[in-house]
Structure formats: structure tokens, C-alpha cells
Amino acid sequence: MFLMGRTEAGKTSLTQALKGEELHYEKTQYTNISDDMIDSPGEYAESKYFSLGLACFSFEADVVAIVQAADEPFNLFGQCLHTFILRPLIGVITKTDSSNANIPMIRLWMENAGCERIFEVNNRTGEGIQELLDYLSEDPEPLTLEQAKYRQSLGLNEWDPLPGGYPEYIRTSGS
Ligand SMILES: Nc1nc2c(ncn2[C@@H]2O[C@H](COP(=O)(O)OP(=O)(O)OP(=O)(O)O)[C@@H](O)[C@H]2O)c(=O)[nH]1
Ligand SMILES: [Mg+2]
């Protein structure tokens, strides 16, 4: 999973919570590609010069996550962000325990960006983390080239539900 979001949004803490670790503050100085996570520094999302780099990292991931704290003061992500990301885009709202939390507003920002799933987590207590882990452990359906091309012809992503299933000629030539 690739994590992007402003400084202090809780990206590194989220990686710790997903591993069941106690939170320990560590400012991200460069993009960490370790284990199953790509953890970027918030400055990438905050600068128009660096933000292009985020698009490149997204190609290395199975899932791209926008991470925003529940008490985030402003939104860094534009509308329909998902249209140039060739992976499922999800939103993770951290700091749900904040006294200044405004979760409906953050959800709206994430929906506008095109997030197909939105998770609410508290990295301190681990609340909501299991739901995210369950989502991440779902295996995508393997596709044949024919099946991928058919989905593409309908304008669908490879992971989108397929209304009506495949036509007979694809089912027989596939698998
Ligand atoms: N209360 C609360 N604090 C959190 C939560 N998640 C993170 N924090 C705190 O928020 C601060 C910033 O967290 P980080 O995970 O370092 O933020 P980051 O997005 O990785 O920041 P950069 O590395 O600068 O991009 C730390 O002091 C964390 O302890 C949460 O769910 N609840
Ligand atoms: Mg960090």
C-alpha cells in the first residue's frame, strides 16, 4: 500500500499500527519502501514540485491510500484524483480520537478525490485497523489478457465489478 498525505497526517503511525506496534514518532525524511508499505514524507504532497513524484510511486503499489487526519485543517487533494491512478484509491482517516475531528468533512474530501473505500482509524488504540487489514488481505481476481482487454473496452478498471459477467467467447478462451 502506498501512503500519501500531509506532514503529521499519521502515515508512519499507520504503518506502525498495522504491524501492531506501539506508536513511536519518527519524522519521515525520504520515501521508505520497506515491507509492504511505501511511506512518503508529507512534504511531497505539500509541494507542487514534488507531488509529481507521488504519481510515480503509485505505479509501484497494489493500493494507493490518501491519509488525512480527522482534524486536518485543509485539503491538499484535488477532485477526481483517481482518474490518473491505475490502482484502487482508498482513503484512511486517522486521529478519529481528536477533539477537533470533523470526519464528515474529511469523508467528503475523500469521496471527491474518488476514493472507493474510506477507513476510519485511531492509530493510538488500533480502532478500525482490523477492517483495513481485512480489506488489504483480499486477493484480487487474477485476469487473463482477454479478460483485461474486455474490461478495458467497457471503460472498467480491472478490479471493478463486472455487470453481466464475461461473454461466452472470453470465458472459454480464458483460464
Ligand atoms: N491522537 C492520535 N495521534 C496520532 C494518530 N496517528 C498519529 N498520531 C500522532 O501524530 C503525529 C504525526 O504522526 P506521523 O505518523 O509521524 O505523521 P506522518 O504523516 O508520517 O508525517 P510525516 O512523516 O512528516 O509526513 C505523531 O505525534 C503521532 O503520534 C492517531 O490516530 N491519534
Ligand atoms: Mg511519516
Side-chain angles (χ1 to χ4, degrees):
M1 175 163 64
F2 170 54
L3 306 176
M4 57 183 184
R6 72 168 184 95
T7 306
E8 301 274 297
K11 301 177 295 297
T12 304
S13 305
L14 177 64
T15 66
Q16 295 164 357
L18 285 166
K19 288 184 219 150
E21 295 173 3
E22 287 279 312
L23 295 198
H24 45 280
Y25 181 67
E26 218 174 295
K27 167 68 191 132
T28 309
Q29 305 282 1
Y30 54 89
T31 302
N32 287 304
I33 302 184
S34 63
D35 307 332
D36 298 330
M37 297 288 170
I38 306 176
D39 181 16
S40 62
E43 286 78 3
Y44 270 71
E46 290 164 13
S47 150
K48 70 176 175 183
Y49 298 108
F50 291 140
S51 56
L52 279 179
L54 294 176
C56 297
F57 288 121
S58 74
F59 299 128
E60 304 289 327
D62 294 326
V63 178
V64 176
I66 292 178
V67 180
Q68 291 182 308
D71 55 8
E72 199 102 346
F74 50 85
N75 182 17
L76 288 175
F77 297 98
Q79 295 178 13
C80 299
L81 184 67
H82 69 297
T83 53
F84 70 90
I85 291 178
L86 301 175
R87 299 287 184 272
L89 179 70
I90 64 167
V92 182
I93 304 176
T94 60
K95 306 192 189 183
T96 50
D97 54 318
S98 167
S99 54
N100 295 319
N102 186 347
I103 293 174
M105 183 176 73
I106 314 290
R107 289 192 83 93
L108 201 58
W109 293 345
M110 290 179 166
E111 283 164 15
N112 284 342
C115 293
E116 54 190 67
R117 291 282 300 269
I118 297 172
F119 298 88
E120 296 173 17
V121 303
N122 178 346
N123 289 323
R124 288 242 161 99
T125 62
E127 211 179 324
I129 291 291
Q130 189 56 49
E131 204 184 331
L132 179 56
L133 281 172
D134 290 345
Y135 166 77
L136 292 173
S137 63
E138 283 171 16
D139 274 332
E141 181 197 345
L143 298 181
T144 63
L145 181 61
E146 284 303 310
Q147 289 169 337
K149 281 161 70 178
Y150 179 68
R151 281 167 176 272
Q152 208 171 44
S153 73
L154 297 179
L156 291 173
N157 289 311
E158 60 199 61
W159 61 90
D160 286 335
L162 184 64
Y166 293 109
E168 190 60 36
Y169 75 93
I170 287 186
R171 239 173 301 162
T172 48
S173 68
S175 62

